[in-house]
Amino acid sequence: MTTAAPDPLVNTPGHLSSPDKLVNLPRLVTAFYANHPDPEVPAQRVSFGTSGHRGSAFTTSFNYAHILAITQAIVEYRAEQDTTGPLFLAQDTHALSEPAFTTALEVLAANGVEVMIDENLGFTPTPVLSHAILTYNAANAGKPLADGIVITPSHNPPEDGGFKYNPTNGGPADTTATKWIQDRANELIAAKLQGVKRLSYAKALNASTTHRHDFITAYVNDLANVIDFSILKGTALKLAVDPLGGAGVHYWPRIAEQYKLPLTILNPYVDPTFRFMTLDWDSRIRMDCSSPFAMASMIANKDAYDVAWACDTDHDRHGIVCKSVGLLNPNHYLAVCIQYLFTHRPEWSAQVGIGKTVVSSSIIDRVAKGLGRPMLEVPVGFKWFVAGLMDGTLGFVGEESAGATFLRHSGQVWTTDKDGPIPGLLSAEMTQRTGKDPGQLYADLTAKYGNPIYQRVDAVATKEEKAKLAKLSAALVTAKTFAGEPITAILTEAPGNHAPIGGLKVTTENGWFAARPSGTEDVYKIYAESFNGEEHLKQIQMEAKALVASAIA
């Protein structure tokens, strides 16, 4: 017997995985139930980061006991906050999401919580959960408020799971809430789950408190209040979307049908191994729609469509591919969205501003200034934008990692969590209206504001060094110049709300860097940008490493 020679490109970044490298799904689900966390091992404890608790059943960091404990903790937190309305429960397409969903429902039903689940036990994107919470609370003023849980590790690899609480404002829970839930969940695990109530899944599914909800229709019907579909009527544009096997897979056919869009849906199926994904930079499967490696197949077909987009697994991030440039850098598209929206949303107040994180591109600052709009710069984390979206003072908010949302045409809140579908649909709207794709529109901006080069790199750091970096004082930086320019600001707090950024940011007229410790690896991240070219960027990165090393020594 002879076998064909292996493809040398298989299992390399930007190419497909060989079948033998795919996650073993039966073994993963077995590990979810069979492995029990040790509360004395920090890596096996409940830990809420910027987007909830994440982990893998293989490493005993996302297991049955974790979900029982976190859900019971959320039940108790809701009671303390007097949140007695329905809880919307959502899940994405990761393999661990289904067992986590059934486990959470067992606890919620046993505690008598009114729970809203998808009518077909289907998949629900993160922004759809946020939309459901907000629309319910707006329609039921004076009645008990709703909140929600979304089960997703976002774009993380197939073996990961994630669990996130969204309170009554529809956005990610703040650090006060997540710390309370995290601490209580760890207490319950240490007590061998004494105090956790649960029913069998069959009883929970049929409980009088468990209700079926049509998430898809509610969200799709409302989209016309945030996207101008009238401009796309009869369009000759060729459009495409790739759900990347994620939670929006059944939403896109409905959107295309309802709004008569010439939309090709690529990969319209779910496979929890995600074998159709090209491998990310580290040769792992990751549904990161901002990564040129993960998006390699879409980039290769960029000429087939005028504009195309993808969303990650829970559809809270976007990736835009256009003929002119291929995959657009997330920072570049944020700037394009801002320029377009603030010149094509006539009902928005002249006082409505823009929200960005401290590690997003400074071209956003320049565009905001050119538009005469106020800008709020906050630490990393979408929770910092929630209040401004709720009261309509922020029209568009975005993160450098390709998460964004914006207001309805009316200037009222749409979602308070990241919404991947609407930036994708907006790319079609702006291309049709302006006659230019987002890459060409970004070129127009750089002709006016300069052409920045932005990059994120990692530097090795011990846990002790990371802890020092997270608590740095600006006074420790004594330099007056940086990368050949006078320093204009040394920040350890975000200028928009004076909240700690968990690191350091140094700015000059034509460049900046920010350093933040990684929450999961023994590295710190250096974000850097230059308006003066590649060599200046390298100088910024080199001096940034030296400056940080000196400050945390």
Side-chain angles (χ1 to χ4, degrees), residues 319-380:
I320 309 298
V321 177
C322 39
K323 282 185 177 180
S324 62
V325 297
L327 179 65
L328 202 59
N329 178 290
N331 277 292
H332 299 177
Y333 187 57
L334 297 182
V336 168
C337 288
I338 291 164
Q339 179 66 34
Y340 177 81
L341 285 167
F342 283 87
T343 51
H344 291 89
R345 291 297 185 265
E347 292 181 57
W348 287 9
S349 160
Q351 282 72 50
V352 170
I354 296 152
K356 62 166 272 195
T357 61
V358 292
V359 295
S360 298
S361 174
S362 286
I363 198 166
I364 294 170
D365 306 53
R366 297 185 181 193
V367 171
K369 187 177 180 181
L371 291 164
R373 295 285 180 161
M375 195 185 69
L376 181 77
E377 186 174 354
V378 299
V380 173

Side-chain angles (χ1 to χ4, degrees), residues 201-232:
Y201 179 55
K203 287 183 178 178
L205 203 56
N206 293 299
S208 62
T209 50
T210 300
H211 311 283
R212 303 296 178 113
H213 178 68
D214 185 358
F215 282 100
I216 295 183
T217 298
Y219 180 83
V220 173
N221 283 355
D222 207 10
L223 274 172
N225 289 308
V226 71
I227 297 295
D228 184 2
F229 289 106
S230 65
I231 193 73
L232 291 165

